[in-house]
Amino acid sequence: MKRYTPLLLVVWLAGCSSWWPWGDSSGDVPRVPPGATAYKCDGNKELYVRYVDGGKSAFVIFPEREFRLDTAETVSGVRYTNGHTTLRTKGNEAILEEGSNVVYSNCKSGG
């Protein structure tokens, strides 16, 4: 068995090269992370956000990480930020900015 272990490891790793926990671009139906809201955005991008603490905070969920944003004052809608990244929402629409760059635009949730 020891002789085959390296071979099995290589085969297993080769199968994981395009791993994405919620589906992939091969036509699989993506699965929304538990408790998250899915947004469809420009550029065929998807954004997943989990709102917590009664909407006082939001976790932006990427395949490799997730991070917390807290509410901040805004004139209309809701704004979540950590000082560098900002999520702006209004109704079922969202925009995600990193610094002064919009990275997810024209995002709409299912309802």
Side-chain angles (χ1 to χ4, degrees):
M1 183 64 178
K2 285 184 181 181
R3 218 159 86 198
Y4 297 107
T5 302
L7 177 63
L8 291 172
L9 181 61
V10 168
V11 171
W12 179 74
L13 288 174
C16 295
S17 63
S18 64
W19 182 79
W20 170 261
W22 306 293
D24 62 23
S25 60
S26 67
D28 288 348
V29 176
R31 291 169 278 152
V32 177
T37 299
Y39 292 92
K40 300 285 185 184
C41 308
D42 283 352
N44 205 26
K45 294 181 179 180
E46 293 181 342
L47 176 64
Y48 298 102
V49 180
R50 182 179 300 117
Y51 298 97
V52 296
D53 300 331
K56 292 180 182 176
S57 298
F59 280 89
V60 175
I61 305 167
F62 291 129
E64 67 280 359
R65 66 187 169 105
E66 64 181 77
F67 53 90
R68 181 182 177 133
L69 304 173
D70 294 311
T71 56
E73 257 185 67
T74 185
V75 176
S76 68
V78 182
R79 183 169 70 105
Y80 300 90
T81 188
N82 62 7
H84 178 70
T85 303
T86 300
L87 173 69
R88 298 175 191 277
T89 64
K90 188 170 185 179
N92 71 332
E93 299 180 346
I95 296 171
L96 185 70
E97 303 166 329
E98 287 188 353
S100 61
N101 299 317
V102 175
V103 290
Y104 287 82
S105 61
N106 197 31
C107 302
K108 293 186 177 30
S109 68

